[in-house]
Amino acid sequence: MSAESADRNSSARAEGLEKFTKPYDPVETEQRMYAGWQEGEAGKKRGGYFNPDNLPEELTAQNGKPFTIIMPPPNANGSLHAGHAVFVAIQDLITRFRRMQGYRALWLPGADHAGFETQVVYERQLEKEGRSRFGMDPDQLRDEIMAFTLHNKSFMEGQLRELGASCDWSREKFTLDPEIRKIVYGTFEQLHKDGLLYRGKRSINWCWKHQTSLSDLETESTEENSPFYYFNYGPFTIGTVRPETKFGDKYVVMHPDDKRYAEWKHGDTFETEWINGPITATVIKDEAANMEMGTGVMTITPWHSAIDFDIAKRHNLDMEQIIGWDGKLLPIAGEFAGMRIAAARPLIAKKLEEKGLLVKTDTEYKNAVKRCYKCNTVIEPQIKDQWFVSMKPLAQKAIEAIERDEVVFYPEHYKKIVLHWLTNIEDWNISRQIVWGIPIPAWYRGDEIAVGEEPPAADDGKGEWIKDPDTFDTWFSSGQWPYATLGYPAGEDFKNFYPTQVMETAGEIIFFWVARMIMLGIYRTGQVPFKDVYLHGLVVAKDGSKMSKSKGNVISPIELAEKYGTDALRMGLIIGNTPGTSTALYEDKIKAYKHFANKLWNIARFIFDNSHEQQQAGTLPPAPETDADRALWDEMTALTADVTKDLEEYRFYMAGEKLYQYGWHRLADEIIEESKTIFAASSTDVSDPAAYSRRATLRLLLSQLLKMLHPFMPFVTEEIWCAMPEHTAKLIVTPWP
RNA sequence: GCGGGCUUAGCUCAGUUGGUAGAGCACUCGAUUUACACUCGAAUGGUCGGGGGUUCAAGUCCCUCAGCCCGCACCA
């Protein structure tokens, strides 16, 4: 080390810059930084700089408009995964960018009790302990899950802090908060008043293992090979893959235009031998019968098929339950009673064959089988009294708003996907037979139904009201999240921050959540809940495969952050991540951005070593003074315009890459290298015009780069920024250039 | 059946309104007691899935074919 640089280092040490002589240490820096931001300035409200009410006047003076992102509330039933890390990286980037632009930026955090999801997780835990929710006292179960959820919630919030999330903790909401429940109940009551909510016997998706109904979105269809049997049924041949449902069949359905059966009239009856003896069957003509399918003739089982249910409704036919809630055949099945479907099916077919009723079996037949998305159990359609929301009118309003671009999707093509789904929407079953959720505020007495948190008075002598035992589909409450968290309808935040600007979430939950928020938001508030929807893709392993525990390829974002720094993790999740497409996450990538953080650190060290004394002595010009340096500044100005535009138009990956390129390959590799020659030639002579101008220019370029990189890499940029005496305010509240 | 997407360097992917093909990683060669080995320089590597069209100009727009992937609905 030369005597000269030894001098510089000693002066740096004197100024508290000695940490720059060592590599950047994220672990040491991050906690201290986050606490500093969260404290903000003395005498302000809770939440520090994350609370938009606390932003310095100098920052908001030019703009001051609200800018809101509602955080997708993570399910409070585990730790944060890579998908959460992506949303933190993107949403915090947007929030910090807008805050620096002078918006009163609010990023509102929350947590989701996640009804069925959480109950399933907890049931697995019970199973490990050799317990089961069935037979448990519901209150006891609810208390246990509550304790479990609250524990996870606070754990998860700690992890969000580790990831640098600059969300306003003073406004945090939980889906089970009393004020949230009140709004959810209000919506239920309003839908009821408006005739958009009905309770009725309808065909529902029943999972016997979980003992609950599920929405269509909570089931998954897989194509499976199932034998297709042809049976003689009186004068007809019928086809079926489900002989186990056929015990009570007494209707035979064909298309009215099917010429093969023209001699049969609607309502004709005939006697026939069937599984457990002779029956009388009735001919039904209905257009739902497909003439191309099988023989064009089918028998129907309204209790266990949505299509058959509709036919039965149209013709007012009898409906009978064949399969119990436990997934086993009922006494109507005779000797097969108590058996499970899979076991009974071939035996029933065999019995029919022995009776000479089997015509043939098509073993190549493939059909779609619906399964529970959690436990893969085959869904049994059942008829049950449930609450349904009439979706068509709600969807219509949403379609109109989306077509008018009141909500804009990134990537664009999601507009078509959403419109297609909304156009073909079915009514939504919001009743769930699980304890973990918001209880449905409804009461019954005979055929009477009352809606409200409290039962109607029962002093008329007609008996007591009975509470609906079910809970809401968790998406019914989270679908109201934007206006519920802001205190609809009278809250100050609702007036100030609704409608919000951006909804950033996973493309996977576009129907579950985003589409429903748009519908319910318009319904309840008359306005769309957000202007822009940015959808990120799935985070996958390096080889493009889905991360899963069973494959053992799950990468914990928290571990990566602890190993390489949160900034590195975040940069790695932003660069190369385009909306709607999946992003690969792997260690080498994050490591590369740790190197970048260190590169910035060393850029700072070089600049400090060469200009700190002059800065302290006040012998630096306020702006570049040579043509060469003015050109460098113009180049930076152009980059700034470019990056700003990219960020405003949601091209985060591109803005990040440009800043990375500039920082490493322009500023470090070229500008600093060139500066070495300038400084070497000038020695310590402060009157040398080239060196005089360059020292100041380097500090200006670094400051500008730090500002633009802050939303991407908040910690290292703030740490360097605060080491520069010319900066009085923290970087987090410094105006965007 | 309805709808959406992908196909660009060995790998992962960018490429914004059409204007001379880009990055990271990997690989090869070389440099360097230094702001930084968490470094620097250089080289190699692509008929942008096939074919056709529009245009002065197409990875980009249109048509068509092929392969792969995904969503929704239905399936007696």
Side-chain angles (χ1 to χ4, degrees):
Chain A
M1 188 179 282
S2 67
E4 191 187 312
S5 68
D7 274 345
R8 281 182 195 140
N9 278 339
S10 71
S11 86
R13 262 191 293 278
E15 301 295 334
L17 294 181
E18 82 274 17
K19 63 184 159 214
F20 286 93
T21 61
K22 288 186 286 214
Y24 173 59
D25 176 6
V27 178
E28 188 280 320
T29 307
E30 291 178 5
Q31 276 201 343
R32 176 164 45 82
M33 269 310 137
Y34 195 86
W37 292 326
Q38 230 181 341
E39 268 166 35
E41 288 160 29
K44 299 273 189 161
K45 292 184 190 172
R46 286 175 57 224
Y49 291 129
F50 303 164
N51 182 338
D53 302 332
N54 293 345
L55 295 175
E57 179 61 25
E58 313 83 73
L59 178 61
T60 55
Q62 293 301 311
N63 183 337
K65 285 182 280 190
F67 190 97
T68 318
I69 299 181
I70 305 294
M71 180 189 292
N75 293 350
N77 57 24
S79 52
L80 295 190
H81 53 65
H84 294 120
V86 169
F87 93 55
V88 170
I90 297 174
Q91 290 169 38
D92 196 46
L93 163 60
I94 301 173
T95 304
R96 287 177 188 268
F97 168 58
R98 296 299 185 177
R99 186 186 291 123
M100 290 171 79
Q101 281 191 321
Y103 286 91
R104 285 187 294 124
L106 169 62
W107 183 21
L108 197 155
D112 195 340
H113 71 283
F116 185 53
E117 291 272 339
T118 299
Q119 178 150 332
V120 168
V121 172
Y122 195 72
E123 277 175 25
R124 285 200 195 116
Q125 189 166 311
L126 283 176
E127 215 172 301
K128 274 184 205 152
E129 297 166 11
R131 299 198 289 157
S132 158
R133 75 150 147 140
F134 304 110
M136 262 179 92
D137 172 52
D139 290 332
Q140 162 82 13
L141 179 60
R142 202 177 294 114
D143 288 351
E144 285 189 23
I145 303 180
M146 180 62 97
F148 172 78
T149 301
L150 291 178
H151 174 262
N152 281 302
K153 180 171 170 286
S154 82
F155 180 68
M156 201 187 68
E157 286 158 3
Q159 295 188 321
L160 285 172
R161 290 181 167 89
E162 275 192 60
L163 295 177
S166 68
C167 49
D168 182 2
W169 293 106
S170 75
R171 284 176 162 89
E172 196 199 4
K173 291 285 187 287
F174 177 44
T175 46
L176 297 183
D177 287 342
E179 66 267 32
I180 299 289
R181 294 161 84 123
K182 196 161 168 262
I183 292 164
V184 170
Y185 285 150
T187 303
F188 185 77
E189 286 168 30
Q190 190 62 46
L191 285 164
H192 191 248
K193 272 184 212 150
D194 291 345
L196 293 171
L197 186 67
Y198 60 94
R199 177 175 160 88
K201 291 199 193 305
R202 281 271 315 266
S203 186
I204 50 125
N205 302 304
W206 182 257
C207 172
W208 65 261
K209 228 172 215 173
H210 283 116
Q211 289 290 299
T212 184
S213 62
L214 297 169
S215 71
D216 293 336
L217 289 177
E218 288 161 327
T219 66
E220 274 168 8
S221 293
T222 50
E223 187 169 88
E224 294 177 24
N225 200 309
S226 321
F228 189 91
Y229 304 102
Y230 289 86
F231 298 119
N232 279 324
Y233 190 78
F236 303 103
T237 301
I238 58 150
T240 185
V241 289
R242 303 206 58 192
E244 73 276 8
T245 63
K246 299 290 166 204
F247 294 99
D249 287 8
K250 54 185 179 183
Y251 301 104
V252 58
V253 183
M254 61 212 70
H255 197 281
D257 299 339
D258 197 329
K259 296 198 180 71
R260 290 170 290 183
Y261 311 109
E263 76 268 28
W264 291 91
K265 300 284 172 268
H266 183 82
D268 287 354
T269 59
F270 59 90
E271 297 283 321
T272 183
E273 178 61 24
W274 195 227
I275 314 175
N276 290 336
I279 55 157
T280 304
T282 307
V283 172
I284 301 294
K285 299 272 182 159
D286 192 287
E287 289 178 1
N290 182 350
M291 292 188 271
E292 323 274 282
M293 185 85 192
T295 58
V297 182
M298 61 177 173
T299 61
I300 57 166
T301 314
W303 200 282
H304 299 291
S305 155
I307 292 275
D308 294 2
F309 176 80
D310 289 342
I311 296 171
K313 276 281 244 200
R314 274 198 288 278
H315 303 284
N316 202 21
L317 309 179
D318 296 340
M319 306 183 189
E320 195 170 3
Q321 188 171 14
I322 314 295
I323 299 159
W325 303 107
D326 58 358
K328 293 177 181 168
L329 285 160
L330 292 172
I332 188 174
E335 74 251 44
F336 303 103
M339 292 182 76
R340 292 223 179 274
I341 310 307
R345 186 178 289 179
L347 299 179
I348 297 164
K350 192 157 173 268
K351 179 168 183 191
L352 282 160
E353 184 178 13
E354 282 160 7
K355 293 180 99 169
L357 297 173
L358 178 68
V359 179
K360 60 174 175 173
T361 307
D362 175 2
T363 52
E364 299 301 303
Y365 187 76
K366 285 195 168 65
N367 69 337
V369 177
K370 264 193 191 182
R371 292 175 179 275
C372 171
Y373 82 124
K374 279 290 156 199
C375 68
N376 220 29
T377 297
V378 175
I379 291 294
E380 186 59 57
Q382 294 272 15
I383 295 176
K384 196 166 172 54
D385 266 323
Q386 303 275 279
W387 286 100
F388 291 87
V389 181
S390 302
M391 298 307 284
K392 292 275 183 206
L394 300 187
Q396 191 49 42
K397 290 272 173 59
I399 290 168
E400 287 162 18
I402 292 167
E403 276 173 349
R404 282 195 300 266
D405 287 334
E406 286 173 33
V407 180
V408 177
F409 293 87
Y410 297 84
E412 266 178 89
H413 73 259
Y414 269 87
K415 177 176 178 174
K416 285 186 188 171
I417 295 176
V418 170
L419 286 174
H420 183 254
W421 187 76
L422 287 170
T423 308
N424 297 298
I425 200 160
E426 296 290 332
D427 287 353
W428 178 14
N429 176 3
I430 55 171
S431 301
R432 293 293 177 278
Q433 291 70 52
I434 56 176
V435 300
W436 186 238
I438 300 178
I440 293 180
W443 305 83
Y444 312 109
R445 187 172 71 172
D447 289 340
E448 291 179 90
I449 296 178
V451 163
E453 275 187 82
E454 299 300 323
D459 52 8
D460 52 7
K462 291 185 191 165
E464 292 296 316
W465 289 84
I466 297 165
K467 183 84 201 288
D468 189 310
D470 293 347
T471 51
F472 284 125
D473 179 354
T474 199
W475 298 102
F476 184 69
S477 47
S478 47
Q480 307 183 43
W481 202 232
Y483 59 84
T485 50
L486 290 170
Y488 172 83
E492 274 303 301
D493 279 355
F494 180 75
K495 287 178 202 155
N496 291 331
F497 294 103
Y498 189 92
T500 70
Q501 269 59 51
V502 186
M503 172 48 60
E504 198 287 326
T505 190
E508 282 178 296
I509 55 175
I510 180 90
F511 305 136
F512 272 112
W513 198 41
V514 179
R516 284 164 175 170
M517 281 192 289
I518 296 172
M519 289 188 281
L520 289 167
I522 295 173
Y523 172 65
R524 212 66 226 279
T525 72
Q527 285 179 286
V528 295
F530 31 73
K531 308 269 192 229
D532 292 339
V533 175
Y534 183 97
L535 298 159
H536 61 255
L538 207 63
V539 183
V540 295
K542 190 175 184 178
D543 63 359
S545 65
K546 203 170 168 171
M547 288 186 191
S548 74
K549 279 181 196 158
S550 54
K551 277 189 230 158
N553 62 352
V554 176
I555 298 177
S556 155
I558 301 296
E559 280 172 29
L560 283 180
E562 282 165 3
K563 192 163 172 192
Y564 298 108
T566 297
D567 290 327
L569 172 72
R570 292 173 48 148
M571 198 65 168
L573 289 172
I574 295 283
I575 293 185
N577 185 352
T578 50
T581 46
S582 56
T583 319
L585 174 62
Y586 48 92
E587 198 157 336
D588 278 355
K589 186 153 117 184
I590 305 309
K591 202 167 149 189
Y593 293 110
K594 181 194 161 105
H595 296 176
F596 181 58
N598 194 56
K599 191 75 182 177
L600 281 177
W601 192 250
N602 282 292
I603 289 170
R605 178 182 172 188
F606 175 85
I607 293 175
F608 295 167
D609 279 353
N610 286 284
S611 66
H612 184 71
E613 278 172 54
Q614 290 83 352
Q615 199 283 330
Q616 288 296 285
T619 58
L620 289 178
E625 300 240 314
T626 64
D627 285 347
D629 288 354
R630 274 189 286 269
L632 291 181
W633 186 251
D634 288 346
E635 184 190 2
M636 174 55 95
T637 308
L639 174 69
T640 305
D642 215 13
V643 165
T644 305
K645 192 156 179 281
D646 284 338
L647 292 181
E648 282 173 343
E649 294 170 10
Y650 300 101
R651 291 186 297 268
F652 312 121
Y653 55 100
M654 198 172 285
E657 207 167 303
K658 282 172 185 167
L659 292 169
Y660 177 92
Q661 284 300 312
Y662 179 85
W664 197 310
H665 299 299
R666 181 73 183 128
L667 181 58
D669 291 349
E670 293 172 0
I671 299 173
I672 285 185
E673 286 306 316
E674 185 201 43
S675 301
K676 285 181 186 170
T677 336
I678 295 174
F679 295 145
S682 77
S683 184
T684 52
D685 183 355
V686 291
S687 66
D688 175 13
Y692 174 68
S693 170
R694 180 55 61 96
R695 288 192 176 98
T697 304
L698 286 177
R699 291 186 86 93
L700 290 170
L701 292 176
L702 175 61
S703 293
Q704 185 98 335
L705 182 63
L706 291 174
K707 287 183 200 173
M708 288 194 282
L709 274 172
H710 179 72
F712 295 84
M713 310 180 86
F715 293 107
V716 69
T717 51
E718 182 76 90
E719 179 77 341
I720 298 172
W721 180 268
C722 289
M724 298 172 78
E726 62 264 52
H727 302 140
T728 48
K730 286 204 168 155
L731 182 52
I732 189 175
V733 288
T734 292
W736 185 261

